[in-house]
Amino acid sequence: MSDDVSRGLSRRRFFGLAGAGTAGVLAAGAAGGAIGRATAEVPPAGGAADTTGAVPFTGAHQAGIVTPAQDRLHFVAFDVVTDDRAELVEMLQAWTAAARRMTAGQDAGEVGAVGGGPYDVPDDTGEAMDLPAAGLTLTVGFGPTLFATADGVDRFGLADRRPGPLTELPAFPGDALDPAISGGDLCVQACANDPQVAVHAVRNLIRLGAGVVSVRWSQLGFGRTSSTSSAQATPRNLFGFKDGTDNLKAENTSAIEKFVWVTDGDPGADWLAGGSYLVTRRIRMRIEPWDTSTLAEQEQTIGRTKKAGAPLGQRGEFDPVDFTAQVDGEFAIPQTSHVFLAHPTNSGTAILRRGYSFVDGSDGLGRLDAGLFFIAYQRNPETGFTQVQRNLRTDAMNEYVQHTSSAVFACPPGVTGDDDWWGRALFS
């Protein structure tokens, strides 16, 4: 993006004010204070990584959380349509086996798309034939309603194993949530550097889950909107700003341990230790009014410069964020800017974000239905996303965004051996 994007006309043309507190963490910034020191680490560079190879499937943690964010996303949430616990377990075992193969760049099943007889039904759908693994990761999560339905029915004998933090998120001012694209009993996050590889993986898991699960909602995403490794350059979101300059990075292991992984002693640690909580929010970005605001208005809203991504009052993207710096007697970073309110120093916590942009056509009124599919991992949603979001009630960005879906899931630890499977510790 260039600096000349901003020839401001008059804004507030298309939407009325949405009310306070809707922004969601889009572009927070860096250091200062105890939390800031815990999360800030080293400057990034942006090296090119292999985008075609395979990411290891097994490990203490599921892949797709601190894994360097790939370029494409297919996220899907499911309703479990059986009440038979054995059927659910069998499907999770089949999913694990297929995921193990697909993340290695293989067909979903041993026979494959064309390896059987002409009258056999293939055990792979075939659209990823000849494509590399493309960094595919598959990450599974369990929603609150898997443990007990909204009316309290314990279908699978799991109610007493639901960790306290696994509850639906509270309502936030300005929310316009659509229940049809919110919640879910299970979720799968498929990330890859080739969109067809991600879609292929989700399609085959749906095929294997027929009769046990039904797709509740799904979301495609492109162009990662944050970096999860210091080796990655900071991407730009649909507002044209660098997003996630000071996101938690995989290399900062002490902060990851503190803010992302569930550990011994935490609620539900008997099956969830080594896992994490996943929060998703579909955030529609009101790009039409944004595109008619001046560059100065945009930068004051974000708290960073558009070209370099530098904190206002500084020159470089990774210069320290100084909330005391003044320009012409005014704070350089406005106290209503997104960076000021979302920054770990002022929100008092940190989360690992790995969201994606989306464009889902238009809204029928001549406007793009576009925005950010926000994804964040944290050790506890109450002290993670919820704490940050509550701090954004006066965020100037609220004028330009609206949350339209919400979900929370508990993601179990990684699969550690050939006989291990997603959720084994929970169902055993």
Side-chain angles (χ1 to χ4, degrees):
M1 303 293 289
S2 68
D3 277 331
D4 23 359
V5 188
S6 67
R7 295 183 179 93
L9 305 173
S10 154
R11 58 177 180 163
R12 303 182 181 88
R13 179 172 299 171
F14 299 92
F15 294 92
L17 294 176
T22 64
V25 262
L26 290 178
I35 299 293
R37 284 192 297 273
T39 57
E41 200 153 286
V42 219
D50 175 17
T51 58
T52 60
V55 174
F57 178 70
T58 57
H61 312 293
Q62 288 196 70
I65 299 177
V66 298
T67 305
Q70 303 92 324
D71 191 58
R72 300 299 181 121
L73 166 78
H74 190 177
F75 190 95
V76 59
F78 297 93
D79 291 326
V80 178
V81 296
T82 181
D83 293 334
D84 188 324
R85 176 178 168 131
E87 286 184 349
L88 177 57
V89 167
E90 185 177 357
M91 184 205 71
L92 289 170
Q93 292 171 334
W95 272 11
T96 307
R100 193 190 303 270
R101 293 181 57 84
M102 291 189 290
T103 55
Q106 302 171 347
D107 288 334
E110 294 183 357
V111 174
V114 295
Y119 302 107
D120 295 331
V121 176
D123 61 11
D124 184 280
T125 51
E127 68 271 33
M129 276 194 296
D130 306 321
L131 296 178
L136 173 68
T137 56
L138 293 164
T139 312
V140 70
F142 304 136
T145 50
L146 182 70
F147 297 81
T149 62
D151 50 2
V153 178
D154 181 4
R155 295 176 291 169
F156 307 111
L158 297 175
D160 62 353
R161 305 207 69 187
R162 181 182 64 80
L166 185 60
T167 58
E168 303 295 348
L169 298 176
F172 298 102
D175 275 357
L177 305 182
D178 179 354
I181 54 171
S182 297
D185 297 331
L186 296 173
C187 77
V188 172
Q189 171 197 280
C191 297
N193 294 305
D194 184 325
Q196 186 142 323
V197 170
V199 169
H200 165 263
V202 167
R203 178 182 175 187
N204 278 275
L205 295 183
I206 292 171
R207 179 179 59 78
L208 289 167
V212 180
V213 293
S214 174
V215 174
R216 179 179 178 85
W217 57 272
S218 68
Q219 180 69 54
L220 295 174
F222 64 91
R224 61 181 174 83
T225 58
S226 56
S227 304
T228 55
S229 167
S230 58
Q232 294 181 305
T234 308
R236 293 184 187 272
N237 59 31
L238 294 184
F239 284 157
F241 277 75
K242 292 188 175 183
D243 198 344
T245 294
D246 290 298
N247 192 26
L248 291 175
K249 300 294 195 296
E251 292 81 1
N252 191 346
T253 54
S254 60
I256 293 292
E257 291 290 340
K258 180 175 181 179
F259 293 109
V260 176
W261 303 128
V262 174
T263 61
D264 290 339
D266 288 346
D270 58 320
W271 66 269
L272 190 54
S276 187
Y277 291 95
L278 164 62
V279 168
T280 68
R281 305 279 286 186
R282 184 181 185 276
I283 304 175
R284 183 175 179 190
M285 299 166 75
R286 295 163 163 160
I287 57 177
E288 288 83 3
W290 179 263
D291 290 345
T292 62
S293 61
T294 68
L295 176 61
E297 287 174 322
Q298 293 181 2
E299 292 183 336
Q300 292 282 306
T301 297
I302 299 294
R304 288 183 177 272
T305 63
K306 193 165 189 175
K307 183 174 182 179
L312 295 183
Q314 305 283 14
R315 300 176 65 85
E317 179 186 356
F318 298 101
D319 287 349
V321 179
D322 183 357
F323 295 119
T324 66
Q326 295 194 359
V327 176
D328 297 330
E330 301 288 339
F331 287 113
I333 301 176
Q335 293 183 325
T336 57
S337 69
H338 190 69
V339 163
F340 183 92
L341 294 167
H343 191 276
T345 298
N346 295 325
S347 67
T349 189
I351 52 181
L352 174 68
R353 297 182 295 123
R354 53 177 299 136
Y356 289 83
S357 296
F358 69 85
V359 176
D360 291 341
S362 63
D363 64 359
L365 298 173
R367 302 170 299 209
L368 287 177
D369 183 6
L372 166 68
F373 188 68
F374 173 86
I375 296 174
Y377 288 91
Q378 57 254 278
R379 185 172 172 181
N380 185 325
E382 174 62 26
T383 56
F385 172 79
T386 297
Q387 184 169 319
V388 176
Q389 187 63 20
R390 284 178 172 148
N391 211 45
L392 297 177
R393 61 190 179 279
T394 59
D395 191 349
M397 190 183 292
N398 291 335
E399 181 178 348
Y400 301 102
V401 297
Q402 189 168 54
H403 293 215
T404 59
S405 86
S406 178
V408 60
F409 302 93
C411 300
V415 171
T416 56
D418 291 342
D419 297 329
D420 201 2
W421 46 278
W422 281 329
R424 178 186 53 77
L426 172 62
F427 286 90
S428 298

